[in-house]
Amino acid sequence: MKVLVLGAGVVGVATAYYLWKDGHEVTVVDRQPGPGRETSYGNAGGLCPSFAGPWAAPGMIAKVLKMSVQRDSPIRFSPLPEPRKVAWVLEWMRNCNAERFRVNKLRMQRVAHYSLQCLREIAGGEALPGFDFHEGGVLQIFRTPAELELGRLSARTLEEYGVPWRILEAAQIPSIEPAMAHSQAGFSGALHLPADASGDSYKFSQGLAAYLEARGVAFRYGVSIQALERAGDAIASVRTSQGPLQADAYVLALGSHAPFLVRPLGLKLPVYPLKGYSITVPVSDPDAAPRMAVMDEHNKIMISRLGDRIRAAGMAELTGYGLDLDPARKRLLVEVVRELVPRGLEWDKVEFWAGLRPMTPDGPPILGRSPWRNLFLNSGHGSNGWTQSCGTSKVVADIVSGRTPAIDLDGLTVDRF
Ligand SMILES: Cc1cc2nc3c(=O)[nH]c(=O)nc-3n(C[C@H](O)[C@H](O)[C@H](O)COP(=O)(O)OP(=O)(O)OC[C@H]3O[C@@H](n4cnc5c(N)ncnc54)[C@H](O)[C@@H]3O)c2cc1C
């Protein structure tokens, strides 16, 4: 079957991989000059199924309102009452209760653990270039006793999902991550999640795309997708900046931009961008920088070691599709990382970046069938999209190929909205 994958972010490239493995004739289309150049470019690098959970949680409405008026808060809202954003926020609020949180978290956990397993299979089975994959686990550090107590509580819920964890006293932190011995921040304790990992999703996308291209998958870069043309209950073609493209099946993997393509057909895909920031800094002293991913819970900033670089990312702005870099955000990221990692980084070479997390209001991604029989969705991966990319792509490829996926799709399809 001829399959057109729309989007060459980490999700589109992973989808192309599984479709190619199934023997389909695959073409991937993207407006960028190469794979993984938008949200998959500069994320925090965390491959963290243990963290996978919805932003829509009990108490979050009050927390977000409080934080959004604080100085240097990691959260920001633009007051513009854009209808799509208002609808998204209302649906998000509807999910901010204990029962919805539990259901949504279980759904996300189901996808995330399966996904890391799929990624490990790809990394172990194919001759891909390195992508700074590190299996050392994640350390979630707390600065106040209240944060530690919350961490302890949420760790207990991890038992329900079979996730291994260990609470550490502040003095034990350097025994797990020696670089934290140099930190100038005060800690109340930490949660060690040994089953998680980290890696560079841009390098992974690049490496996997090159691997596929060498094996006959076509990648068409610099092509802007403008519309899906419908014929009855199917998609007949895709209108692009370089003319129409036709296939037997189409997979939508356009990150935060997916809703624009299906809206004219009558499908309101509840995916909205949540902007985040990152910095990447070269490491000059390998022992001074953390090896495992470190999540600073107080500032909601994650630091990952990507080979000879440190990546730190965080912040959440519900402000539309702009990618401008706010100087205050940049300053905050630098301050937090300098405090946690005071030595061994080349700050004169720091790179700043912003990207758009494709968020669903309830948390889980939107996978599989759409109202059109040959259009399939691989959308809404939110703040865990790198973690979830391989499993969701395998699920979607299974459905395209007429197979039953290995995980239950309950609560992961568009029908839930
Ligand atoms: C600050 C930050 C930190 C994050 N940290 C983590 C983390 O630690 N762990 C984790 O698991 N996830 C993390 N994420 C989330 C993760 O990066 C995303 O969920 C994931 O990259 C989404 O991948 P995607 O392929 O769906 O989207 P994208 O990477 O955005 O890919 C979509 C592609 O579609 C293309 N496209 C869009 N519209 C068109 C069009 N009209 N025509 C042609 N092409 C088009 C784009 O060019 C792009 O290449 C983070 C995100 C941010 C912003």
Side-chain angles (χ1 to χ4, degrees):
M1 197 160 58
K2 267 189 169 178
V3 189
L4 209 53
V5 178
L6 309 176
V10 68
V11 172
V13 175
T15 307
Y17 169 77
Y18 287 110
L19 289 168
W20 163 79
K21 277 202 105 177
D22 281 347
H24 298 297
E25 187 184 329
V26 184
T27 301
V28 186
V29 186
D30 200 290
R31 61 187 170 196
Q32 294 292 342
R37 301 286 180 106
E38 295 207 0
T39 307
S40 305
Y41 183 77
N43 64 37
L47 288 160
C48 305
S50 313
F51 279 170
W55 285 50
M60 268 304 270
I61 299 173
K63 197 167 170 183
V64 165
L65 285 174
K66 194 172 146 211
M67 285 181 103
S68 57
V69 293
Q70 276 169 9
R71 212 183 131 258
D72 279 348
S73 160
I75 291 175
R76 184 178 298 164
F77 273 102
S78 84
L80 283 180
E82 186 209 330
R84 212 158 65 78
K85 185 170 74 183
V86 172
W88 189 95
V89 170
L90 290 175
E91 185 61 21
W92 174 78
M93 287 167 75
R94 209 177 63 77
N95 278 277
C96 285
N97 61 67
E99 178 48 25
R100 295 304 314 154
F101 176 77
R102 200 182 149 273
V103 168
N104 292 330
K105 173 131 185 160
L106 275 170
R107 290 171 176 171
M108 293 177 77
Q109 288 282 313
R110 193 195 314 150
V111 179
H113 290 285
Y114 176 62
S115 286
L116 187 51
Q117 187 189 318
C118 293
L119 182 135
R120 284 190 172 114
E121 277 165 24
I122 298 182
E126 311 289 2
L128 296 184
F131 58 100
D132 299 325
F133 189 36
H134 185 72
E135 297 249 41
V138 171
L139 196 63
Q140 189 178 15
I141 51 172
F142 307 110
R143 295 183 183 229
T144 66
E147 284 168 10
L148 175 62
E149 203 36 51
L150 256 180
R152 210 184 288 277
L153 272 178
S154 85
R156 283 194 200 114
T157 68
L158 287 175
E159 271 160 22
E160 195 176 341
Y161 317 114
V163 177
W165 58 272
R166 184 155 78 103
I167 289 283
L168 305 173
E169 302 293 327
Q172 292 173 301
I173 294 175
S175 67
I176 298 292
E177 177 43 74
M180 283 297 104
H182 312 299
S183 167
Q184 288 165 358
F187 303 131
S188 55
L191 172 64
H192 182 214
L193 298 159
D196 287 358
S198 54
D200 185 332
S201 68
Y202 173 57
K203 282 193 179 176
F204 178 81
S205 309
Q206 269 192 321
L208 189 57
Y211 176 89
L212 292 173
E213 212 162 2
R215 286 157 182 80
V217 173
F219 283 83
R220 298 199 49 183
Y221 298 120
V223 179
S224 188
I225 300 157
Q226 293 160 344
L228 300 175
E229 308 283 5
R230 204 174 80 179
D233 66 347
I235 301 302
S237 68
V238 176
R239 199 167 74 225
T240 78
S241 54
Q242 297 193 9
L245 295 173
Q246 284 178 328
D248 303 307
Y250 304 83
V251 179
L252 198 65
L254 295 174
S256 295
H257 300 270
F260 298 120
L261 268 290
V262 287
R263 184 78 201 235
L265 305 181
L267 176 63
K268 290 182 186 170
L269 207 60
V271 175
Y272 199 82
L274 191 70
K275 182 177 163 187
Y277 290 71
S278 77
I279 56 173
T280 307
V281 199
V283 172
S284 53
D285 176 357
D287 295 328
R291 277 172 214 289
M292 66 168 54
V294 175
M295 174 73 186
D296 176 355
E297 192 51 32
H298 188 76
N299 292 296
K300 303 272 181 216
I301 289 173
M302 175 173 270
I303 305 180
S304 295
R305 174 76 168 267
L306 301 176
D308 56 3
R309 300 160 298 150
I310 281 290
R311 167 80 46 75
M315 320 293 173
E317 295 184 358
L318 209 61
T319 49
Y321 283 80
L323 282 171
D324 52 304
L325 293 162
D326 180 328
R329 304 304 217 184
K330 291 165 66 177
R331 216 169 31 243
L332 181 63
L333 266 175
V334 171
E335 272 169 21
V336 170
V337 178
R338 271 189 186 277
E339 191 185 26
L340 289 169
V341 190
R343 302 201 279 124
L345 300 182
E346 294 184 71
W347 282 103
D348 54 325
K349 295 186 182 144
V350 59
E351 280 175 39
F352 295 93
W353 174 86
L356 304 173
R357 304 174 183 93
M359 304 294 283
T360 57
D362 55 350
I366 303 173
L367 309 178
R369 294 201 172 279
S370 76
W372 300 278
R373 65 176 163 75
N374 61 347
L375 177 68
F376 300 87
L377 308 172
N378 202 357
S379 277
H381 291 67
S383 54
N384 296 293
W386 168 215
T387 307
Q388 300 185 98
S389 55
C390 294
T392 56
S393 298
K394 190 163 196 305
V395 161
V396 172
D398 283 340
I399 296 169
V400 174
S401 302
R403 265 193 320 270
T404 305
I407 58 167
D408 185 1
L409 280 192
D410 175 50
L412 302 176
T413 64
V414 74
D415 307 336
R416 70 183 190 269
F417 296 105

